[in-house]
Amino acid sequence: MNGAFDPKRWWPAPLLPLGDARDLTLLFVVAALSFLAGLAAIAALASERAAVGWRSELAGSATIIVRAQGAETPDAAALRAVVAVSGLRGVGEVRALEKAKADQLLAPWIGADALPSDLPVPRLVTVELDPKTPATGADLDRALSAAGVDATVDDHSRWSAEIMRAGVIERNVALGLFALLLAILGAVISFATRQGLAARREIVDALHLSGATDGFIARLFQARFARSAAQAGLAGALLAAAMAAALKLTGAGQGLTALLPIAWRDLAAPAPFPVLGALIAAVVARTTATAALKEVP
Amino acid sequence: MSRKAIVSEVSAADPTSPQSIVRFEGVSMRYGRDPEVLTDISFELPQGAFYFLTGPSGSGKSTLLKLIYLAERASRGRIEIFGQDLALLRRKDRPFMRRRIGVVFQEFRLLDHLSCFDNAALAPRIAGRKPAAYRADVADLLAWVGLGDRMHAMPPALSGGEKQRLAIARAVINRPDLLLADEPTGNVDEAMGLRILRLLLELNRVGATVLIATHDKDLVVRSGKPVLHLEAGRLSPYPGQAPDLDE
């Protein structure tokens, strides 16, 4: 085929030359930022899920510590506590732990052999709560007081609040990291735009002298850097998703995935970075180029 | 054109003429704190004029052209292009004035990553014309300057003469009202120089005002066109014979 009839030869070539080594460096940096941002986003979702899971586990139960009164045996006191709270609205299964279980819980502090057999060890009663309308610690307290049982109710609310607070902090740190990486991307693009304008000054001059407006030239850089950010951002995001998938597949239920329970849908979390990155790159490249071009006569 | 007529055109232009394309009044130019490159320059190019700009190296020819195509600002004096005072021209309007000016640079300033076709198509592309609208014009123009079979060649593969003709094609593709050329025959042999002169005369014939900075004495003599002569940054009326271009 005669080249003169090849349509591609008549299609206008890009006014800015195609990528060189500088562009490759930029692509690598943007891909790395996208990879880190993607991991941060996945970690944010997973930590949120872990916090919610732990909290729901704690919120679904309460523990009653029962102390025997007078000549009453601990087992009898525990039985009275079970009777007192069973049947309350928002209460499911109620179970008194055997003495052996109570001893086992004390063993780490006192030692298994140092515990006298006649020591009135408080009995523990576990209460499963209705997940929809759980009874509160105050409800249980009232029922136990009415039955004359000397007991303390632990509804885990203190731990639950701590876990929630930790979860919120983790999520905010991850989101802050995500935002920081986007800000770094903006700074990198701004630097690259100024470098690009300086390196291609001859082209910029030729375009100016041919009647190009500052906006026309700025748009060339805007399109170039937005496209680069989108491409490199996509590569980094895919890599982050692949790494998260590998973590999930190789460490299910153990190690890192036990602390950060990754769900398959979390793998979509890095998706916003290429889009946001391209938008930020477009805005930053445009404003940087427009400002820099004003310095050109 | 007679000596008298030339002097008359250069030095006694009517300041109120609406036909003025380029008008300098007491223009001086210096770079930073250096001595003035141009001093008290006054002249006028009427519409449809064809002038040569001569003078020894360092006399300020390129600077004068730069002032006209808005690449530099005068230190003093008043410049009007197409009747517009450049001191009052807003930055956002400068590109639109530049689109009316074609420039052939001494060093060509071709874009090496673009083909001959894309280089020549630069101005219409910047002006926002669709490829389908300018494709035939560019092809015709390249054929006209003798580059019909080199349209898809890249500038580094062109000879000096071919680059010169491509630079001319790029400068005239939008049919500029004013064409400036800095040493357009400086890199070509005599035959090619005459061919380029004919191109420029043809452009002038169809309406473009032309100003050519050159050292080429033969070109000036053969054309018989008037001369603006610079000596040490000052404009000298044409002395009545071809200036000593070999100074």
Side-chain angles (χ1 to χ4, degrees):
Chain A
M1 182 177 174
N2 186 334
F5 296 101
D6 179 358
K8 285 183 182 171
R9 300 189 69 178
W10 295 94
W11 194 255
L15 290 176
L16 291 180
L18 294 175
D20 55 19
R22 285 185 302 266
D23 292 335
L24 284 179
T25 307
L26 176 69
L27 291 176
F28 174 77
V29 171
V30 174
L33 291 173
S34 176
F35 172 72
L36 294 173
L39 286 186
I42 290 171
L45 290 177
S47 62
E48 176 96 2
R49 180 174 300 104
V52 168
W54 295 335
R55 184 168 177 262
S56 68
E57 280 182 24
L58 288 173
S61 66
T63 304
I64 302 171
I65 303 156
V66 184
R67 290 172 290 278
Q69 298 178 76
E72 187 181 35
T73 65
D75 287 336
L79 185 61
R80 282 204 302 127
V82 170
V83 171
V85 299
S86 293
L88 278 181
R89 193 159 71 173
V91 171
E93 187 185 352
V94 182
R95 194 160 54 87
L97 293 186
E98 297 166 354
K99 180 176 184 299
K101 182 70 178 173
D103 290 347
Q104 192 183 340
L105 290 172
L106 287 171
W109 285 272
I110 300 176
D113 300 330
L115 208 61
S117 58
D118 59 345
L119 185 74
V121 176
R123 287 290 189 275
L124 299 179
V125 173
T126 60
V127 181
E128 297 294 325
L129 301 174
D130 182 349
K132 290 181 182 170
T133 55
T136 65
D139 294 339
L140 299 176
D141 258 340
R142 270 195 299 275
L144 290 165
S145 296
V149 179
D150 179 14
T152 304
V153 176
D154 178 6
D155 63 357
H156 307 150
S157 56
R158 186 165 67 89
W159 299 111
S160 181
E162 290 291 329
I163 286 171
M164 279 313 291
R165 193 156 44 244
V168 168
I169 290 171
E170 274 188 44
R171 187 192 60 202
N172 288 345
V173 166
L175 289 176
L177 186 60
F178 192 84
L180 177 65
L181 291 167
L182 284 174
I184 293 172
L185 173 72
V188 167
I189 293 293
S190 175
F191 179 75
T193 304
R194 286 197 170 272
Q195 289 289 99
L197 277 165
R200 288 156 183 154
R201 180 63 188 266
E202 285 187 4
I203 296 172
V204 171
D205 284 348
L207 294 174
H208 261 150
L209 294 174
S210 298
T213 60
D214 289 347
F216 180 92
I217 298 171
R219 276 195 297 277
L220 296 178
F221 284 89
Q222 176 186 25
R224 168 63 55 85
F225 285 114
R227 190 167 55 246
S228 295
Q231 289 170 342
L234 184 62
L238 288 174
L239 197 60
M243 175 164 276
L247 279 175
K248 181 174 175 58
L249 290 173
T250 58
Q254 292 186 2
L256 185 60
T257 51
L259 294 171
L260 294 173
I262 298 168
W264 287 115
R265 64 174 179 274
D266 294 350
L267 303 189
F273 194 90
V275 179
L276 286 173
L279 283 173
I280 288 173
V283 171
V284 169
R286 179 70 178 266
T287 51
T288 304
T290 302
L293 287 167
K294 283 192 166 52
E295 296 162 13
V296 178
Chain B
M1 184 176 287
S2 72
R3 162 191 168 183
K4 194 172 176 180
I6 293 167
V7 171
S8 169
E9 269 195 65
V10 170
S11 60
D14 176 3
T16 60
S17 169
Q19 301 297 314
S20 170
I21 298 295
V22 177
R23 181 177 172 78
F24 276 48
E25 281 182 30
V27 173
S28 297
M29 170 70 193
R30 69 168 80 233
Y31 293 99
R33 292 175 173 274
D34 290 346
E36 284 185 339
V37 180
L38 295 173
T39 304
D40 200 23
I41 302 291
S42 297
F43 72 93
E44 182 177 6
L45 295 185
Q47 187 174 30
F50 189 118
Y51 272 77
F52 283 102
L53 178 63
T54 63
S57 294
S59 61
K61 300 191 295 296
S62 294
T63 299
L64 190 145
L65 292 183
K66 283 180 181 175
L67 290 173
I68 299 175
Y69 63 73
L70 316 179
E72 297 289 352
R73 283 177 180 273
S75 309
R76 245 179 335 117
R78 175 188 170 93
I79 301 175
E80 283 183 14
I81 309 291
F82 307 124
Q84 172 76 54
D85 186 344
L86 294 190
L88 303 177
L89 187 66
R90 293 175 299 183
R91 181 178 175 86
K92 68 186 181 72
D93 293 325
R94 291 158 71 93
F96 302 99
M97 179 173 281
R98 280 176 173 145
R99 290 178 194 180
R100 298 179 65 189
I101 305 172
V103 186
V104 182
F105 299 99
Q106 187 173 7
E107 66 281 19
F108 313 129
R109 294 199 188 185
L110 300 172
L111 300 181
D112 285 349
H113 66 288
L114 297 181
S115 67
C116 291
F117 182 89
D118 283 332
N119 264 287
L122 197 57
R125 195 171 165 183
I126 285 171
R129 291 171 63 191
K130 300 288 182 196
Y134 62 71
R135 196 170 287 148
D137 289 346
V138 174
D140 286 348
L141 181 58
L142 286 174
W144 188 57
V145 298
L147 293 174
D149 57 348
R150 304 283 279 157
M151 281 188 210
H152 301 294
M154 305 305 275
L158 301 179
S159 68
E162 286 173 326
K163 287 179 181 175
Q164 193 73 276
R165 282 177 282 152
L166 177 56
I168 291 172
R170 186 178 69 177
V172 305
I173 181 66
N174 264 2
R175 294 176 182 253
D177 295 318
L178 173 62
L179 178 64
L180 308 173
D182 196 356
E183 300 289 355
T185 58
N187 296 283
V188 296
D189 59 26
E190 186 181 352
M192 182 54 67
L194 286 174
R195 191 170 168 186
I196 288 172
L197 176 62
R198 280 197 293 274
L199 276 176
L200 298 174
L201 288 168
E202 178 66 13
L203 288 166
N204 176 243
R205 193 185 62 77
V206 296
T209 300
V210 180
L211 179 62
I212 301 171
T214 185
H215 274 98
D216 191 338
K217 181 178 177 180
D218 288 342
L219 195 71
V220 177
V221 171
R222 280 173 193 268
S223 72
K225 295 294 184 181
V227 177
L228 293 173
H229 186 66
L230 283 172
E231 287 283 351
R234 291 182 181 274
L235 198 58
S236 306
Y238 190 53
Q241 56 189 357
D244 187 359
L245 298 164
D246 297 320
E247 278 185 85

